[in-house]
Amino acid sequence: MNHGDLLGAHIVIVDDHVVNTQLLDRSLRSQGYHRITVFNDSRQFIAQIAQIEADLVLLDLHMPHLDGLDVLQQLPLIVPDAPYLPILVLTADITTQAKRRALELGARDFLTKPFDAVEVLLRIKNLLEIGTLYRRLRQHNQWLEDKVQERTQALEDAQLEILQRLARAAEYRDDDTGQHTQRVGYW
């Protein structure tokens, strides 16, 4: 997959520290990403996520009002039919419990602060590639389902036509039998 194909991805950053969001925004823009939305208040992110078509979320865990774990818990309730939405947790919390809990709640990856900017960019690229492949797979599955429905309908139509032709053949043989076959067919 070409890295240039990923540059149009919509990346959302949710972190209460403006310095962190500015650093991430600047790093992403230096790599050519240009659709970046920043939320310094997780409540605003939760209020707007249903309208945002995000391809990736970079999420801090420790924030006032609504922490990252609360955000992870609420996302499936707010956007239950959302396609695969990769979430990369970026946090200073190095505890195993925080990592496990975030991954249990749906985070796809986890990095601790201070983070290496190159590693973050590589993980972002990997998650965007996975998301793109997931969407392509869903589209292909939908196409296959449509084809199965078309073929099923064609088979049903062919079966009906065969039955109608058999009824007509019986009708030509005998008027009484033919009318009986038609009457049975109407039921």
Side-chain angles (χ1 to χ4, degrees):
M1 184 170 296
N2 184 349
H3 179 65
D5 296 341
L6 303 175
L7 296 178
H10 186 192
I11 300 172
V12 177
I13 304 169
V14 185
D15 193 324
D16 61 316
H17 294 286
V18 175
V19 173
N20 291 341
T21 58
Q22 288 174 342
L23 174 65
L24 287 167
D25 184 70
R26 198 170 25 253
S27 295
L28 289 166
R29 289 186 191 283
S30 74
Q31 295 300 305
Y33 296 100
H34 57 276
R35 293 183 58 215
I36 302 165
T37 303
V38 174
F39 291 96
N40 294 114
D41 187 334
S42 55
R43 296 173 299 180
Q44 291 175 344
F45 168 70
I46 287 295
Q48 294 182 33
I49 186 61
Q51 290 80 34
I52 296 174
E53 292 185 19
D55 295 304
L56 174 69
V57 175
L58 307 178
L59 179 66
D60 185 21
L61 283 189
H62 296 290
M63 296 178 281
H65 311 295
L66 192 63
D67 70 15
L69 295 174
D70 292 333
V71 169
L72 286 169
Q73 281 182 311
Q74 290 185 26
L75 275 178
L77 303 172
I78 298 168
V79 192
D81 297 329
Y84 175 84
L85 176 60
I87 299 170
L88 172 59
V89 171
L90 299 167
T91 183
D93 191 340
I94 60 171
T95 64
T96 304
Q97 296 86 355
K99 182 184 284 189
R100 284 184 186 158
R101 186 70 179 135
L103 294 170
E104 285 172 357
L105 291 172
R108 299 289 181 223
D109 206 348
F110 192 97
L111 284 174
T112 55
K113 296 176 188 175
F115 50 80
D116 175 20
V118 173
E119 183 179 8
V120 170
L121 291 170
L122 288 171
R123 290 188 188 224
I124 287 170
K125 179 181 172 280
N126 290 342
L127 288 170
L128 288 172
E129 284 177 350
I130 292 169
T132 299
L133 292 172
Y134 178 81
R135 282 187 294 283
R136 285 182 186 170
L137 181 62
R138 283 183 58 143
Q139 289 171 347
H140 185 71
N141 286 344
Q142 184 61 51
W143 179 81
L144 287 174
E145 286 179 28
D146 293 344
K147 285 294 179 194
V148 167
Q149 286 179 345
E150 286 175 19
R151 300 270 165 88
T152 301
Q153 186 62 49
L155 283 172
E156 289 173 359
D157 293 345
Q159 287 173 337
L160 182 60
E161 184 177 342
I162 289 169
L163 291 173
Q164 289 171 345
R165 287 179 185 229
L166 286 172
R168 274 195 218 124
E171 187 179 308
Y172 287 123
R173 191 165 166 220
D174 180 5
D175 281 340
D176 292 333
T177 307
Q179 290 175 0
H180 173 72
T181 306
Q182 286 180 348
R183 285 193 301 272
V184 170
Y186 286 121
W187 289 93

